[in-house]
Structures are given as structure tokens and as C-alpha cells.
Amino acid sequence: MKKKTRKTLLLAGLFAFGAATPLFAGQTPDEIKSLKILVQKLLQQNQQLAKRVSQLEKQLPVQNTASVKDEDIEQQVTKILRHKEEERMQKEYFGHMINRYVDFSGLVEVEGSASQDFEGVNESKFELATVELGFVGKVSDWASAHLTLLYEEGGDDKVLVDDAHIILGNTDKFPLYLDAGRQYVPFGNFTTNMISDPLTLEIAETQETALQIGFKAAGAYGSVFAFNGDTNEGGGDSQIEQFGANIGYALERDSFSLDIGMSYMNSIGDSDGLGDILKEKNLLTADYVSGIGAYAITHIGPVSLIGEYITALDDIGNETNFQPMAFNIETGYAFHIRGLESTVAIAYQGTDDMAGYLPESRFLGSFAIGIFPGTTFAVEWAHDKDYDKADGGTDESADAFTAQLAYEF
């Protein structure tokens, strides 16, 4: 006898029930309607089950159907179902392990801008400003690995390893830690509410493969670091001669926070921005010139205040009037628009001895709103004033308007 499907058996049972009892006898109209819906659902479920059994039977090894027994088919189906269940459990296990030991984050920023430079040249464009993928591996409470991949349109259109370093230590249990690898050394802070980077970052951000030893306890923090930079005083052997330090204190209360700090580096010419200028001026073998920085960041309720100052301590090389300096003064106000978190901010920034590379002064205004969780829309207006002609500038002004859509996860 051929094996009946579950659908056939169900229909046979329904007809047998109908022969023994008048169909829907003694039922109210609502009960009859409910019973009809139930029967339709049962038929749909059995159709889906029959389709699934048919799919599984197609995966069975090809055999002479005349010699196939019902027991053999059931064993094969059970084997396939067990295999699929094992695959599902393996995927869940590995997914759990990844979520447990690896934190993953990302950032995508798309920008549209319109600007006019000091020469009066107009430009407008859309660009994929930033794609950033971050990974933090933490198998142990006392060690972690950090990796960030970065793409920025307008460069060489390559995905770069922005940082990759290992941290040994757990400052929740012991104040000291060691940080080794490609990283941004703690010279400067660069916090801002704006879309564009502050001018302090343009002269001081320093990315190197470095060794850093630091501490963090009771709100106080600091570190010392060393690396082999691009500058090489006097030429000769290339050695680890660049070093620096930072110290700070952070305090946080319900509606108040404060972060103040200072930093020092013995060769400010090794910052990413100034390093390119020194290479252009053939000053990479000039004497090392130290740089210092100071910053203060506070939040008082919805109001934020940011102040930062960074400067070289002497002229770099044989150049006169080449003692780079930059500052940023900024204030912001956070509020809600129909329940959406929003921020409006203004900033005043400036530089010294950077004619031909950065504006002498910059005024900015910005507005940002979180339109969805993780999604922010922001606009920014920047007005730049160049150096006087006597100082190597154009004595002209420039303006830029930028809109940004950012998604962070």
C-alpha cells in the first residue's frame, strides 16, 4: 500500500467525522465561521508540510523506488533533518562566540558641498567622505586588539589600516596599561561638534607605530610614548628618537562633566600635517622642535564648551616665521525637536605662520539632528580669512557650505 500524505489522512478524517455527525450541527454562525477558519489553517499547514516532505525526498539518494521501504525513507529524512539542525546550531555557536569576543562598529558619511576658495574658484560635489570599520577583539579581560579600516574619497581610493594596536592591561582593576602598534599618539585632543576637522588637528594629529605606557585612575589619566618618525635630526641613522607625554583629569556628574589636559611632543614636525610641509621644504633633517598643547572640554547641562591650543615652541629649521600654532574655541547647545536629539554650535579657530597651507582665521556654524537611531543629518557653514599678502597670503575670504548624512553602528 502506498504511503498516504498527511493532507490525505486529514481529509479522510474530516469526511469520516462528517459522515458520523451532521456538519456544523448545533453551532452558532460565529462558531461555524471559526471552525471554517480553523479547517483552512489546517489545510494550509498540511500543504506546507507535504511540500517540505517532497523537498526532503528529492535529497534522498536515487534508488529503485520499487525496493524502497517506508522505514528507509523515514531514516533518510531523519538523517537530513538532524544534519540541518547541527548546521543551525553550529552557526548559532560561532555567532555567539563572535559576539562574545569581538565588538564590531562602523561609520559611513556621505557629504555634499559647495565652496569658493581664496582664488574665487567655485566647486560643488558629492563624495563618500568616510567609511570606517572598527574591530575590538577581547578574549581576555587583560588584553585586547584594536583594528580600524578606513576609506576616504579624494585620497588614493584605497582602504587603509587606520590603526592596529594591542592593549595590555585592565584599568578597572589596575591603573597601568601598555599600548603597542599603529595608533594616534595622545598629542592634542581635537574634540568638535563640527563636520570639518578643527585647525588644531591639521597641525598636530600624529599617526605612528608607537609604544605607549599609560595609567588611568580616579579620574586622572596620562601616558608617555615613543616612536621612530619621519624627521631625523642631522640625518644619519634612523632611530627611535621621537617621544612625548600627556596628562589629564576627567570628572563627570549628573549634569556636569569636565575634561582638561596637556600634551607634549619633542618633534612637532612629525605630525601628519606638518610632516608633509617639512618634506616639501626639505626640512626633515632639521633640528627637532618641541610642541605643546592644552585643552578643556566641559558640559554644563545642555551647553558644551571646548577650548584647545597647540603650538611649536620655536621656529622649525632655518625658516624664519615658521612656528606653527592653532587654536579652537567652540560652544554648542543640545536640545530636542519633536523628540529628536539636536545640536547647534558655533566655533572660532585660527592659526599662525601657516600662510599658504591653512587660513589665518575660520568662523563656523553647524546644526545636527538625529533623524533615526544611529543616523544623523548635519549642515555646516565655514567662513575663512586668509593671511595678508605681506605674510604670504592672498588677503581674501573663502566660504564653504557642507551637508552630511552619517550612519553609525
Side-chain angles (χ1 to χ4, degrees):
M1 182 180 69
K2 292 183 179 180
K3 187 175 182 180
K4 297 181 179 180
T5 65
R6 290 181 177 268
K7 178 181 177 181
T8 304
L9 293 174
L10 175 65
L11 291 174
L14 289 173
F15 285 127
F17 174 77
T21 306
L23 192 60
F24 306 137
Q27 305 295 327
T28 65
D30 288 341
E31 291 175 339
I32 293 173
K33 183 178 180 180
S34 299
L35 287 172
K36 287 182 178 179
I37 293 174
L38 176 62
V39 171
Q40 290 175 352
K41 287 184 178 179
L42 290 173
L43 289 174
Q44 290 174 355
Q45 291 174 359
N46 280 273
Q47 287 174 353
Q48 294 173 356
L49 181 60
K51 184 178 180 180
R52 180 60 177 157
V53 171
S54 176
Q55 291 174 345
L56 293 173
E57 288 176 345
K58 291 179 181 179
Q59 300 179 35
L60 298 176
V62 178
Q63 302 182 44
N64 184 353
T65 55
S67 61
V68 176
K69 297 181 180 180
D70 291 347
E71 292 80 3
D72 294 334
I73 294 177
E74 291 177 356
Q75 290 177 2
Q76 292 290 343
V77 170
T78 301
K79 184 177 179 180
I80 292 172
L81 290 174
R82 184 183 297 116
H83 177 68
K84 290 186 176 295
E85 179 65 15
E86 289 175 352
E87 286 183 341
R88 184 188 65 80
M89 293 179 66
Q90 288 177 354
K91 290 179 180 179
E92 288 184 356
Y93 173 76
F94 285 116
H96 169 73
M97 296 299 286
I98 290 174
N99 292 333
R100 180 179 178 182
Y101 296 121
V102 179
D103 290 333
F104 173 71
S105 62
L107 172 67
V108 178
E109 294 176 338
V110 180
E111 294 179 0
S113 62
S115 62
Q116 183 181 69
D117 63 17
F118 296 133
E119 305 296 332
V121 178
N122 294 301
E123 181 183 32
S124 61
K125 61 183 177 179
F126 292 113
E127 65 178 354
L128 182 59
T130 305
V131 177
E132 186 177 282
L133 298 176
F135 305 85
V136 178
K138 196 168 184 179
V139 179
S140 165
D141 289 338
W142 290 90
S144 60
H146 300 247
L147 169 65
T148 303
L149 303 179
L150 176 67
Y151 170 84
E152 293 178 320
E153 188 174 345
D156 53 10
D157 281 341
K158 292 183 179 179
V159 177
L160 304 175
V161 177
D162 194 45
D163 65 64
H165 53 113
I166 299 171
I167 298 178
L168 302 181
N170 185 338
T171 54
D172 291 334
K173 298 180 180 179
F174 186 73
L176 297 180
Y177 67 88
L178 182 146
D179 190 349
R182 184 175 178 84
Q183 58 188 278
Y184 290 92
V185 299
F187 179 59
N189 184 279
F190 320 130
T191 298
T192 184
N193 289 305
M194 304 298 163
I195 295 175
S196 54
D197 295 328
L199 295 178
T200 50
L201 180 146
E202 298 291 349
I203 73 164
E205 184 179 60
T206 307
Q207 181 193 52
E208 295 287 347
T209 299
L211 178 66
Q212 179 184 172
I213 299 175
F215 76 94
K216 182 179 180 182
Y221 61 89
S223 69
V224 294
F225 56 88
F227 60 91
N228 182 352
D230 293 330
T231 61
N232 186 7
E233 185 176 87
D237 296 336
S238 177
Q239 297 180 346
I240 299 173
E241 298 179 335
Q242 288 79 4
F243 59 87
N246 79 304
I247 188 77
Y249 179 77
L251 174 68
E252 187 170 353
R253 295 291 183 264
D254 292 340
S255 59
F256 174 79
S257 68
L258 175 67
D259 186 2
I260 57 174
M262 297 183 64
S263 55
Y264 165 85
M265 190 163 66
N266 77 317
S267 177
I268 194 173
D270 276 288
S271 70
D272 297 342
L274 295 182
D276 292 338
I277 296 174
L278 265 59
K279 184 177 181 180
E280 178 185 321
K281 292 176 173 287
N282 294 317
L283 292 175
L284 290 178
T285 58
D287 293 344
Y288 296 144
V289 173
S290 300
I292 60 170
Y295 59 88
I297 305 163
T298 184
H299 290 81
I300 306 171
V303 178
S304 63
L305 299 171
I306 301 170
E308 183 167 27
Y309 176 85
I310 292 178
T311 185
L313 295 179
D314 200 354
D315 289 334
I316 298 177
N318 297 322
E319 299 271 328
T320 58
N321 298 322
F322 187 42
Q323 186 177 342
M325 179 277 295
F327 68 85
N328 177 32
I329 301 172
E330 186 175 324
T331 183
Y333 181 77
F335 58 101
H336 289 81
I337 298 177
R338 294 184 177 274
L340 302 177
E341 294 184 3
S342 307
T343 302
V344 62
I346 57 174
Y348 179 68
Q349 304 173 4
T351 68
D352 195 15
D353 290 347
M354 292 297 292
Y357 301 101
L358 293 173
E360 184 176 27
S361 65
R362 172 176 289 173
F363 178 81
L364 303 102
S366 71
F367 169 76
I369 183 169
I371 54 179
F372 300 110
T375 308
T376 303
F377 176 73
V379 292
E380 175 192 272
W381 170 69
H383 176 74
D384 291 352
K385 180 67 172 64
D386 199 9
Y387 287 81
D388 294 336
K389 292 182 179 179
D391 296 325
T394 63
D395 198 24
E396 298 291 341
S397 298
D399 293 278
F401 178 82
T402 305
Q404 180 192 81
L405 184 64
Y407 187 87
E408 186 173 7
F409 57 93

